[in-house]
Amino acid sequence: MSLQKDDDGFITAAAALSVNDPPPPPPPAESAEPAGPSDASRLLKSSFDVHVTLADHQADPNSPLYSIKTFDELGLSPDLLKGIYGMGFSKPSKIQERALPLLLANPPQNMIGQSQSGTGKTAAFVLTMLSRVDVSLNAVQAICITPTRELARQIMTVVNAMGKFTQVTTEYAIRDHNIGSKITQHIVVGTPGTMSDFIRRRIIDPTKVKVFVLDEADNMLDQNGLGDHTLRVKNEIMKHNKNFQIVLFSATFPDTVRTFASKFAPRANEIRLKAEELSVEGIKQFYMDCKDEDAKFQVLVELYNILTIGSSIIFCKKRENADEIARRMVAQGHQVTSLHGAKDAMERDRTIDDFREGKTKVLITTNVAARGLDILQVNMVINYDMPVDARGQPDWETYLHRVGRTGRFGRTGIAINFVHDKRTWQDMHAMEQALGMNIARIETNDFDEMEETLKKSLKA
Ligand SMILES: Nc1ncnc2c1ncn2[C@@H]1O[C@H](COP(=O)(O)OP(=O)(O)OP(=O)(O)O)[C@@H](O)[C@H]1O
């Protein structure tokens, strides 16, 4: 087996896997307004009003946010209901309504759940973990793994907010987080490498684990990615305990991974989406035709000169590109920060916390931030480099996750793709074909038109 480090510092295994081998502040619940405006940069003031009509979306039968039930009907305990209502949730979304009765049923059943980005999958698996904990027993009973520390911290915020009125305790399994010699808290949330390390070193005793959750499950099972660690965690739990519930959630399940997922979580209840259902309606998608690679930076700067947007994320292919673009934008007077796997843990935490709180408004990053991040005020995503997989092929799953950082839970957002040569054109068309939608052109020579188009989309 050959081991290599991926772009974000994870050790990844190139060998095939066999299933038979043995606190940042919570995001505001209902507001899409940027938090805490500052005069420090021209990027910071938003001239756009983002109208959130959550009630309308939740009443529309075609929306993934629609449901016919209330949280009271989903079999949750009164303490958990208090936590949910305390977070400002009034009605379940479709995935919550459909998944929760299956997830909470006894005897426990495995679940493979798919739903569009920003539709509330986290609450579904967090409520499952919280519901299954026996608070009279001081032992790890639920384990959740997710690809990045940023996501682990975000999920923990949700666990703590939803579990606020329960006696459930929590701990992290992420790098550079201080823990004692033994974790006895009920729910542990972390990244796969650290989780498997903690189990191997007996910091976590897996014998009492009842629920094992994989968030961003397709990524966690990917044989070229984090699958090796994930399997190890599962096998450790299985050594001592045959009856635990396996819960897999993601917005995407490519066919290659789905087969493996079905073996990983046998006899699972499945909630699936068709390819044409994957796009989120509130996210308007565009492309900008740039003369060449160098011209992309000029277009980016112009875009930020004319637009005063809420918060935005710019995705690049490599860490070095993210740092370089950040450096050049700062030199031009823009306030931006970069985030990627080469930064140390403390800096990553500070960067994402500042961005979440609205202290910084532009995040330049790699695929480390492509999945799961839930920051409601993000209303623009830019694919400075189109996403491609390890073989250089257009990666539409990553595309969906990246653009899904905006348009959260019915909000509006725009996604802009930079294309500059035949190759990037082809990549963009591959996204259109895979997702069955059109990406509209934005004129790069006429800034007034550019501004008007984007403003209109954000207000739509
Ligand atoms: N029932 C609800 N009512 C109101 N808001 C909700 C509800 N459920 C979830 N939300 C909010 O919707 C946002 C998106 O939820 P979440 O992060 O769980 O999405 P997701 O489906 O996991 O997305 P992704 O695929 O990008 O990870 C969060 O801010 C969450 O607080």
Side-chain angles (χ1 to χ4, degrees), residues 30 54 58 71 89-93 96 116-123 154 216 251 372 374 376 404-405 408-409:
E30 292 299 322
L54 206 51
Q58 291 211 274
F71 278 113
F89 295 6
S90 50
K91 280 187 74 184
S93 62
Q96 292 163 359
Q116 296 89 340
S117 58
T119 53
K121 294 183 286 295
T122 314
Q154 179 177 295
E216 308 300 343
D374 180 55
L376 302 184
R405 291 322 96 217
R408 310 290 293 165
F409 212 82

Side-chain angles (χ1 to χ4, degrees), residues 149 173-179 194 198 343-346 349:
R149 69 181 288 113
I174 54 177
R175 245 197 288 173
D176 299 330
H177 176 78
N178 284 335
I179 41 134
T194 308
F198 281 7
K343 306 244 175 195
D344 73 50
M346 294 309 121
D349 292 354

Side-chain angles (χ1 to χ4, degrees), residues 317 367 385-396 398 402 423 427 431:
K317 196 168 162 192
N367 280 340
D385 298 315
M386 293 302 285
V388 289
D389 64 18
R391 288 170 297 127
Q393 297 304 306
D395 182 351
W396 65 267
T398 299
R402 283 183 179 184
R423 178 61 215 267
D427 291 348
M431 308 300 161

Side-chain angles (χ1 to χ4, degrees), residues 1 16-22 228 231-232 234-236 238:
M1 178 187 302
L17 302 168
S18 154
V19 269
N20 300 319
D21 287 347
D228 196 30
L231 257 187
R232 247 183 255 154
K234 182 191 169 191
N235 289 337
E236 284 291 338
M238 238 168 34

